[in-house]
């Protein structure tokens, strides 16, 4: 969840002091808004910590009671007042109004720039997002591992992760598995929804409320035929991480129901290929001898393609769909790779990207190579493209349609200017000289004052901070990528 007022007050370097609202320290701060307007509420969404110094109050004092009332009605997280700028201390009328309307009031010391508070909130929000993604990744990994034991294990794992009641239903509504067992009581309430969902197709789900529970009902299919349904019932609905996990379960269960067409090879259980490509399964583990016996011998090749999984892959080639992308991955031994490349190229209707030979320890790398080669093959209109034909290094990884689009978007504000060529050349020279004015100006053949003027204009155009090394790196990479394609 976002940071709270209490967490900001407990940050010593911010030097914040609470003046009103000691019972509101658990209020979440969704953003920081700096405003000197006498009525900033039209520009607020709620949840912000509003910061002001009252710069306009000295000559034209507003009705502070009305000012605070409007902020409280907007449901902001709190109000921060910067002292020793226009007022030596926070106005007493402001504190009294905050107490009256239940608004947290914080005094900000002169030594604390407002931007420091904004950066701290941004840092805490980013940290929370990272931790949420880490939790979601771990949960998805555990869910993928559960798929090795079949659909019932996926349902059980999902129920534990979400603290929910989960049902796996046949297309006609018959319960295939329930977790916990009491979840079977939900089935009668869902039967009426199934005919509509079967007719709507495999991509349409439903949400309903029954017995105080919010139920998400999702079809399970990898093609046009619905082979079952997943129902998940919770008391408070789903957060974004919960929805991601449910979507992962839908993909895994859909693969499980379609598994006769997905993986062909001795000794392979449901979801094995998906788990291998996801990095959730290590075939070199001492206890995985039987698994290795059913997999192609190392080194192996990975092929990536679009479209449906072929019905008859060659012997020794294992094929699986990539849930949610409409693509497929193929795995085969690299022995006789010349002939094998041709066979994989003929296996799919459309372009194919092929990895370099790797061991199973680098299977995730090979998948990335194959998918990048596929993207390049589609862009260039080639039937088959090998990974070793692509540019290498980090710039090679970025030199893809997606990477070039990001570069274009980053530099677009400059491209729209009449003197875009001069500005871009100045930016490149400035970055190449690590910000040294004289060296950059000499490289351009202009006076350093001319370069300073251009760089001021660039700073105005770009949303990021040129003093931020991360932003400078992004700009340098974007310029290099475009140069490579010019």
């Amino acid at each position: 969840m976002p940071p709270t007022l209490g967490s900001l007050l407990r940050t010593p370097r911010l030097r914040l002091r609470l003046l009103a609202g000691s019972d509101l320290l658990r209020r979440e701060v969704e953003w920081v808004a700096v405003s000197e307007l006498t009525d900033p509420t039209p520009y607020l969404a709620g949840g912000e910590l509003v910061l002001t110094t009252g710069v306009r109050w000295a000559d034209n004092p507003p009705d502070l009671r009305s000012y605070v009332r409007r902020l409280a009605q907007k449901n902001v997280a709190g109000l921060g007042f910067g002292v020793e700028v226009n007022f030596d201390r926070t106005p007493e009328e402001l504190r009294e109004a905050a107490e009256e309307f239940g608004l947290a009031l914080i005094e900000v010391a002169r030594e604390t720039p407002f931007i420091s508070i904004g950066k701290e909130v941004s840092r805490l929000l980013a940290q929370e997002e990272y931790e949420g993604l880490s939790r979601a990744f771990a949960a998805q990994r555990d869910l993928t591992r559960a798929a090795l034991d079949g659909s019932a294990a996926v349902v059980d794992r999902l129920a534990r992760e979400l603290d929910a009641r989960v049902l796996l239903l046949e297309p006609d509504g018959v319960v295939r598995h329930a977790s916990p067992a009491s979840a079977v009581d939900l089935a009668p309430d869902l039967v009426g929804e199934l005919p509509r969902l079967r007719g709507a197709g495999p991509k349409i789900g439903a949400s309903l409320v029954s017995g105080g529970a919010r139920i998400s009902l999702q079809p399970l299919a990898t093609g046009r035929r619905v082979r079952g349904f997943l129902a998940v019932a919770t008391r408070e609905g789903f957060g974004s991480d919960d929805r991601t996990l449910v979507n992962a379960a839908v993909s895994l269960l859909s693969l499980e129901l379609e598994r006769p067409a997905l993986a062909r090879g001795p000794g392979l259980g449901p979801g094995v290929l998906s788990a291998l490509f996801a990095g959730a399964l290590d075939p070199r583990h001492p206890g995985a001898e039987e698994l290795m016996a059913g997999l192609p011998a190392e080194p192996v090749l990975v092929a990536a393609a679009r479209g449906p999984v072929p019905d008859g892959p060659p012997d020794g080639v294992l094929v699986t769909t990539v849930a949610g992308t409409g693509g497929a991955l193929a795995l085969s031994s690299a022995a006789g790779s010349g002939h094998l490349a041709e066979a994989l190229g003929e296996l799919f209707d459309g372009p194919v990207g092929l990895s370099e030979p790797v061991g199973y320890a680098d299977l995730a790398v090979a998948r990335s190579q194959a998918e990048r080669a596929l993207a390049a093959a589609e862009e260039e209109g080639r039937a088959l493209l090998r990974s070793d034909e692509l540019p290498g290094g980090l710039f090679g990884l970025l030199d893809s349609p997606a990477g070039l689009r990001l570069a274009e978007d980053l530099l677009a504000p400059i491209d729209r200017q009449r003197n875009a060529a001069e500005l871009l050349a100045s930016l490149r020279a400035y970055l190449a000289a690590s910000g040294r004015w004289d060296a950059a100006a000499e490289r351009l053949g202009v006076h350093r004052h001319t370069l300073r003027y251009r760089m001021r204009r660039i700073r105005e155009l770009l949303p990021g901070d040129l003093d931020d090394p991360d932003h400078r790196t992004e700009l340098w990479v974007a310029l290099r990528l475009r140069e490579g394609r010019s």
Side-chain angles (χ1 to χ4, degrees), residues 41 50 75 112 152 159 184 193 206 253 264 303 333 340 348 351 360 422 455 471:
T41 55
V50 180
N75 200 31
T112 302
V184 73
E193 292 288 330
L253 290 170
R264 307 175 190 275
S333 174
L340 177 62
F348 299 96
Y360 281 109
E422 291 179 351
M455 292 307 300
H471 188 55

Side-chain angles (χ1 to χ4, degrees), residues 388-424:
D388 57 10
E389 299 178 65
L390 298 174
L394 288 175
F395 281 103
L397 292 175
L398 292 169
D399 187 12
S400 66
L404 290 170
R405 281 195 300 272
L406 289 173
E408 296 292 346
D409 290 345
L410 186 60
L411 298 173
I414 299 178
D415 290 333
R416 289 192 287 265
Q417 307 306 307
R418 289 185 178 180
N419 61 337
E422 291 179 351
L423 294 177
L424 289 170

Side-chain angles (χ1 to χ4, degrees), residues 7-270:
S7 64
L8 292 178
L9 286 163
R10 290 190 296 271
T11 305
R13 61 186 178 80
L14 294 182
R15 303 180 186 87
L16 303 178
R17 187 164 70 97
L18 183 68
L19 300 183
S22 58
D23 57 335
L24 301 173
L25 297 184
R26 293 187 179 180
R27 290 293 301 269
E28 296 178 353
V29 180
E30 297 179 8
W31 201 243
V32 171
V34 179
S35 176
E36 300 295 349
L37 296 174
T38 54
D39 182 14
T41 55
Y43 307 98
L44 301 176
E48 300 93 346
L49 174 60
V50 180
L51 302 178
T52 184
T53 64
V55 68
R56 296 188 177 183
W57 300 1
D59 298 327
N60 186 23
D63 182 345
L64 293 183
R65 187 173 180 276
S66 297
Y67 174 80
V68 171
R69 175 176 53 79
R70 287 192 295 267
L71 290 177
Q73 290 174 343
K74 196 65 176 184
N75 200 31
V76 300
L79 173 64
F81 189 82
V83 295
E84 298 183 53
V85 179
N86 297 289
F87 291 82
D88 291 336
R89 52 196 294 266
T90 303
E92 182 63 20
E93 184 182 351
L94 195 64
R95 187 194 63 77
E96 292 174 354
E99 292 282 8
E100 178 182 354
F101 293 107
L103 180 68
L105 177 62
I106 296 172
E107 187 172 88
V108 183
R110 177 70 176 85
E111 297 82 4
T112 302
F114 283 175
I115 194 172
S116 296
I117 302 175
K119 285 184 175 180
E120 179 64 12
V121 170
S122 296
R123 186 188 69 80
L124 293 172
L125 287 171
Q127 177 180 318
E128 173 62 25
E129 182 177 1
Y130 173 77
E131 291 175 352
L133 289 172
S134 297
R135 290 192 296 269
F137 177 78
Q140 288 185 60
R141 180 190 59 209
D142 292 340
L143 202 64
T144 303
R145 286 174 175 167
L148 301 177
D149 295 324
S151 58
V154 174
V155 171
D156 292 339
R157 188 74 201 185
L158 183 64
R160 288 196 299 272
E161 291 287 348
L162 299 182
D163 189 22
R165 291 179 290 167
V166 183
L167 276 180
L168 179 60
L169 304 173
E170 299 285 359
D172 59 1
V174 173
V175 177
R176 183 168 180 172
H177 186 69
S179 183
S182 60
V184 73
D185 296 338
L186 297 170
D189 298 329
L190 306 177
V191 172
E193 292 288 330
L194 300 186
R196 181 180 67 83
L197 290 181
R198 284 195 293 268
K203 296 184 179 180
I204 305 299
S207 297
L208 58 151
V209 177
S210 177
R214 299 175 183 272
I215 305 174
S216 172
L217 188 58
Q218 301 293 330
L220 303 174
T222 55
R224 295 183 178 180
R225 181 181 175 187
V226 175
R227 297 185 179 274
F229 295 92
L230 177 69
V232 183
T234 63
R235 287 290 176 186
E236 299 180 356
F238 299 116
S240 59
D241 294 342
D242 297 335
R243 285 191 291 271
T244 299
L245 198 57
V246 170
N247 291 338
V250 167
S251 298
L252 290 169
L253 290 170
S254 297
L255 290 170
E256 161 66 8
L257 296 178
E258 293 278 358
R259 67 186 173 95
L262 298 184
R264 307 175 190 275
L268 290 184

